[in-house]
């Protein structure tokens, strides 16, 4: 274990990511499983992006945002899975402090961008269903670029600010991260300096980038549901709701697992399952997103055919 001397303290300069070492008998099975998931995730999301770019029937705001989401999910998976797969192959679980902070920056920035982007997509569906006559006027090309760009910029800027504070912490005790990537809580738990200020800042920023987007998404679907229920024909109601059912499924999966991991009190039982739930929103959600949109969206299925 490499350490650097600072005065009378020995500062840790690298971490050991424990990952799933507690179950060594299934390491090869886990490697194969995560490898298949990563390849499927990348190929599935790349296929969505290619379809959105090449098929003129998909050149509209809804699929523009879907293309952004697919690109985001590809980056999201690539932040965590390649390093984890390399660790399975080499049995080397060491990561430098800077490498850990860099991974945390991309993970947090992309997660924040996804929260904003999912809200933008719900706003797009709200305008399309509740104000259809004004849809083309409101959701013009410039507005779509601003909404998508704003989602990326907000997430990455907030992440950059939090990550810039982490090198100010001192790590001089245990250097084993009980997780499969550099998440905030398991990393800060290892610090031997005062962490209350960075925990407060992170809590405030995390609340700003999760609670308002979640509430705005919820409000959008309340209005959408109210409008859909007023449609007289069952065929019309089904057609209207089918345009947003895929997005609603993705939102439920994403926020549901986030709530379990970060907001539910950490009892002993849930603590043991924390890695499993973390796998759901970091690994499985990017995998199922292209499947959900391709299997439940008629326009995507037509483009595939």
């Amino acid at each position: 274990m490499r350490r650097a001397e600072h005065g009378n303290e020995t500062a840790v300069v690298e971490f050991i990511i424990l990952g799933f070492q507690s179950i060594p008998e299934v390491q090869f099975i886990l490697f194969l499983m995560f490898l298949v998931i990563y390849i499927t995730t990348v190929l599935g999301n790349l296929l969505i992006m290619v379809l959105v770019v090449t098929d003129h029937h998909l050149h509209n705001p809804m699929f523009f945002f879907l293309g952004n989401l697919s690109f985001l999910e590809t980056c999201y998976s690539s932040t965590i899975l390649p390093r984890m797969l390399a660790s399975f192959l080499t049995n080397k679980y060491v990561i430098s402090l800077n490498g850990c902070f860099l991974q945390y920056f991309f993970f947090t920035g992309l997660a924040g961008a996804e929260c904003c982007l999912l809200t933008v997509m719900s706003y797009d569906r709200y305008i399309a269903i509740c104000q259809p006559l004004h849809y083309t006027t409101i959701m013009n090309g410039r507005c779509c670029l601003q909404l998508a760009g704003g989602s990326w910029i907000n997430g990455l800027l907030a992440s950059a600010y939090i990550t810039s504070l982490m090198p100010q912490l001192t790590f001089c005790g245990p250097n084993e991260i009980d997780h499969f990537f550099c998440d905030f809580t398991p990393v800060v738990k290892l610090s031997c300096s005062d962490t209350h200020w960075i925990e407060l800042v992170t809590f405030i920023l995390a609340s700003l980038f999760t609670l308002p987007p979640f509430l705005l998404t919820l409000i959008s679907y309340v209005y959408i549901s109210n409008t859909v229920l007023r449609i007289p024909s069952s065929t019309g109601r089904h057609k209207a709701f089918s345009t947003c059912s895929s997005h609603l499924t993705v939102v439920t999966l994403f926020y549901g697992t986030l709530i379990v991991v970060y907001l539910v009190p950490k009892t002993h039982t849930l603590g043991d399952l924390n890695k499993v739930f973390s796998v759901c929103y970091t690994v499985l959600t990017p995998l199922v997103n292209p499947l959900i949109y391709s299997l439940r969206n008629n326009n995507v299925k037509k483009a595939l055919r």
Side-chain angles (χ1 to χ4, degrees):
M1 180 175 67
R2 294 170 56 207
R3 294 174 180 269
E5 297 293 334
H6 290 282
N8 295 327
E9 291 185 337
T10 304
V12 173
V13 296
E14 60 186 22
F15 292 122
I16 298 174
I17 299 180
L18 296 179
F20 299 95
Q21 294 184 60
S22 59
I23 42 177
E25 62 277 4
V26 295
Q27 294 293 294
F28 183 69
I29 296 174
L30 288 175
F31 168 76
L32 289 179
M33 182 183 74
F34 285 122
L35 178 63
V36 171
I37 288 175
Y38 181 59
I39 293 173
T40 307
T41 299
V42 172
L43 291 179
N45 283 293
L46 283 176
L47 178 60
I48 295 291
M49 286 186 278
V50 169
L51 290 175
V52 170
V53 171
T54 59
D55 194 308
H56 69 278
H57 294 100
L58 304 182
H59 291 176
N60 59 56
M62 181 174 74
F63 292 104
F64 170 74
F65 295 130
L66 175 58
N68 271 267
L69 181 64
S70 294
F71 178 65
L72 188 149
E73 298 290 25
T74 303
C75 298
Y76 196 54
S77 296
S78 299
T79 300
I80 296 172
L81 281 176
R83 184 170 191 88
M84 186 163 63
L85 291 171
S87 297
F88 281 126
L89 282 178
T90 61
N91 289 322
K92 294 180 180 178
Y93 300 89
V94 175
I95 185 172
S96 66
L97 255 69
N98 289 334
C100 186
F101 297 153
L102 187 64
Q103 185 185 56
Y104 176 75
F105 163 72
F106 282 112
F107 160 72
T108 309
L110 292 169
E114 182 163 358
C115 289
C116 296
L117 193 57
L118 289 174
T119 304
V120 167
M121 294 174 77
S122 67
Y123 174 71
D124 171 69
R125 292 299 83 206
Y126 162 74
I127 298 296
I129 294 174
C130 300
Q131 301 182 38
L133 298 178
H134 302 286
Y135 182 71
T136 54
T137 304
I138 297 175
M139 301 303 295
N140 54 55
R142 181 179 179 181
C143 178
C144 291
L145 286 173
Q146 289 175 339
L147 290 172
S151 299
W152 284 90
I153 292 171
N154 285 337
L156 293 175
L157 282 179
S159 177
Y161 180 69
I162 296 174
T163 308
S164 68
L165 299 176
M166 295 183 74
Q168 300 177 31
L169 298 175
T170 302
F171 299 92
C172 53
N175 71 329
E176 295 181 341
I177 299 174
D178 189 18
H179 212 341
F180 58 89
F181 69 99
C182 290
D183 201 0
F184 179 80
T185 301
V187 171
V188 171
K189 189 186 296 184
L190 300 178
S191 175
C192 53
S193 55
D194 182 21
T195 62
H196 289 91
W197 56 276
I198 191 172
E199 290 178 7
L200 178 61
V201 171
T202 303
F203 174 77
I204 293 172
L205 287 176
S207 299
L208 289 175
F209 277 87
T210 53
L211 188 58
F214 175 72
L215 291 177
L216 288 172
T217 302
L218 193 63
I219 292 170
S220 295
Y221 275 105
V222 169
Y223 280 103
I224 289 171
S225 300
N226 188 42
T227 302
V228 170
L229 291 174
R230 290 206 304 265
I231 298 175
S233 67
S234 59
T235 304
R237 288 195 297 270
H238 176 74
K239 184 178 180 180
F241 190 71
S242 66
T243 63
C244 54
S245 59
S246 300
H247 176 257
L248 185 59
T249 304
V250 169
V251 167
T252 303
L253 287 172
F254 182 72
Y255 280 108
T257 50
L258 276 181
I259 288 170
V260 171
V261 172
Y262 293 109
L263 296 183
V264 174
K266 299 296 183 291
T267 63
H268 179 71
T269 304
L270 286 178
D272 295 336
L273 295 174
N274 190 57
K275 289 182 186 177
V276 177
F277 289 119
S278 296
V279 166
C280 289
Y281 80 88
T282 58
V283 177
L284 295 184
T285 301
L287 169 68
V288 301
N289 280 0
L291 295 175
I292 290 172
Y293 278 104
S294 60
L295 294 177
R296 303 190 64 174
N297 191 290
N298 290 327
N299 290 326
V300 174
K301 286 190 283 187
K302 288 178 182 177
L304 283 170
R305 285 196 292 268

